[in-house]
């Protein structure tokens, strides 16, 4: 479904992603694992056109998307939940969710989507008039995911969804991702502490300083002693 080929990305003269190739098949959950500064966010932001590739190509459903704009990618079904969630703290939960659907012009469709979002996230419905900034960390992550789902993506990308969350909440977020995946959405996520992520992943890649150093099934990577020592902690 997504094919990243020989991707190189730099900031100015500093190359931070070196000739990376990986793929995500339809229906999969794939995790990219790596330490602070390994280049994970850079890879994701390049896929969603928030950053430009220096060389290499990205294709989605067999078509080249390397030079697409972010809004074109959203229309094609690719959506990112950014690192740090980036919800609007001074806006209500409902307003935040509606902002996720700004490209949907059909209000009837928007209403149907909101209904289905609230079915999946009853806690957000209870809090729909509450300001986003007053939600707990876990609720804010749910809100960021709900907002992304408003355009019915077929490919959901998440940048460290567990960041700053207590282990029990992390598990809730990953259970939710599993459910979303089971409903037909392909998932690519990056994580730093990744036990929970690997448990739900079909496959995983480990990157170090902008290069893929290991790949395997979620279980193989989770059971790898070097990986366990470096990345797994206890969540
Ligand atoms: P983290 O887990 O800490 O978010 P990461 O794996 O997502 O890390 P990136 O944020 O992709 O890593 O950063 C990769 C490298 O690129 C780092 O060395 C970082 O300092 C550098 N970098 C990131 N953004 C910029 C920028 N806008 N300008 C210059 N260098 C940058």
């Amino acid at each position: 479904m997504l094919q990243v080929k020989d991707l190189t990305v730099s900031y100015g003269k500093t190359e931070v992603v070196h000739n990376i190739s990986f793929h995500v098949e339809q229906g999969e959950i794939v995790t990219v694992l790596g330490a602070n500064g390994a280049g994970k966010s850079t890879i994701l932001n390049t896929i969603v056109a928030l950053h430009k590739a220096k060389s290499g190509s990205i294709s989605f459903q067999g078509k080249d998307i390397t030079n697409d704009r972010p809004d074109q990618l959203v229309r094609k079904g690719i959506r990112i939940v950014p690192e740090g969630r980036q919800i609007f703290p001074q806006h209500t939960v409902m307003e935040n969710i509606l902002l996720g659907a700004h490209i949907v012009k059909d209000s009837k469709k928007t209403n149907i989507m909101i209904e289905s979002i609230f079915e999946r996230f009853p806690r957000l419905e209870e809090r729909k008039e509450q300001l986003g900034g007053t939600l707990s960390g876990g609720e804010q992550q749910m809100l960021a995911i709900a907002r992304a789902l408003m355009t019915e993506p077929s490919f959901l990308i998440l940048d460290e969804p567990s960041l700053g969350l207590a282990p029990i909440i992390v598990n809730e977020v990953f259970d939710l991702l599993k459910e979303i995946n089971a409903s037909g959405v392909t998932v690519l996520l990056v994580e730093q502490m990744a036990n929970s992520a690997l448990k739900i992943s079909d496959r995983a890649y480990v990157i170090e300083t902008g290069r893929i150093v290991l790949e395997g099934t979620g279980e193989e990577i989770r059971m790898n002693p070097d990986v366990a020592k470096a990345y797994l902690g206890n969540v």
Side-chain angles (χ1 to χ4, degrees):
M1 191 177 204
L2 182 87
Q3 192 90 35
V4 173
K5 202 158 177 286
D6 302 328
L7 182 71
T8 295
V9 190
S10 50
Y11 294 106
K13 289 203 171 89
T14 315
E15 199 175 291
V16 297
V17 173
H18 318 284
N19 227 30
I20 273 192
S21 297
F22 67 95
H23 62 100
V24 182
E25 298 304 322
Q26 181 139 10
E28 281 190 316
I29 300 181
V30 171
T31 294
V32 174
L33 187 58
N36 254 326
K40 305 181 297 296
S41 300
T42 302
I43 295 168
L44 296 192
N45 289 336
T46 308
I47 294 171
V48 298
L50 297 174
H51 199 74
K52 221 172 151 33
K54 186 177 171 197
S55 58
S57 67
I58 305 165
S59 66
F60 182 66
Q61 288 172 329
K63 297 206 175 78
D64 186 74
I65 56 161
T66 318
N67 296 311
D68 277 20
R69 293 188 313 267
D71 61 303
Q72 291 175 308
L73 297 174
V74 170
R75 284 176 213 282
K76 287 179 183 173
I78 302 177
R79 195 74 198 242
I80 189 166
V81 179
E83 184 172 9
R85 312 186 269 269
Q86 297 179 19
I87 61 150
F88 297 96
Q90 300 301 336
H91 287 269
T92 65
V93 166
M94 185 63 140
E95 286 164 347
N96 268 279
I97 291 174
L98 285 172
L99 282 165
H102 64 281
I103 67 161
V104 184
K105 300 289 176 228
D106 178 347
S107 62
K108 215 160 136 196
K109 179 130 198 257
T110 304
N111 288 336
I112 293 170
M113 281 311 295
I114 288 175
E115 259 178 49
S116 92
I117 292 280
F118 283 154
E119 238 168 69
R120 180 167 271 153
F121 300 89
R123 249 191 295 167
L124 293 182
E125 181 166 28
E126 286 163 24
R127 290 168 169 73
K128 64 183 174 194
E129 301 307 332
Q130 197 173 320
L131 293 183
T134 65
L135 295 176
S136 71
E139 288 162 357
Q140 288 188 20
Q141 185 62 62
M142 300 290 183
L143 177 56
I145 295 171
R147 183 180 59 184
L149 292 178
M150 280 299 284
T151 48
E152 296 185 285
S154 56
F155 194 84
L156 189 64
I157 299 176
L158 300 103
D159 194 346
E160 295 207 41
S162 74
L163 195 69
L165 303 181
I168 186 164
I169 311 295
V170 171
N171 285 329
E172 255 183 61
V173 170
F174 284 111
D175 284 347
L176 173 72
L177 288 179
K178 222 169 132 179
E179 262 178 57
I180 292 170
N181 174 252
S183 76
V185 180
T186 303
V187 175
L188 170 65
L189 59 135
V190 307
E191 275 292 347
Q192 209 176 122
M193 301 301 280
N195 208 13
S196 306
L198 291 176
K199 277 188 192 160
I200 64 159
S201 293
D202 297 292
R203 291 184 307 107
Y205 296 87
V206 179
I207 60 167
E208 272 172 21
T209 55
R211 286 189 175 83
I212 291 174
V213 293
L214 201 61
E215 61 178 281
T217 65
E219 203 52 20
E220 281 164 2
I221 299 291
R222 203 166 75 83
M223 292 301 166
N224 180 302
D226 294 336
V227 172
K229 210 158 96 198
Y231 304 109
L232 297 187
N234 48 20
V235 291

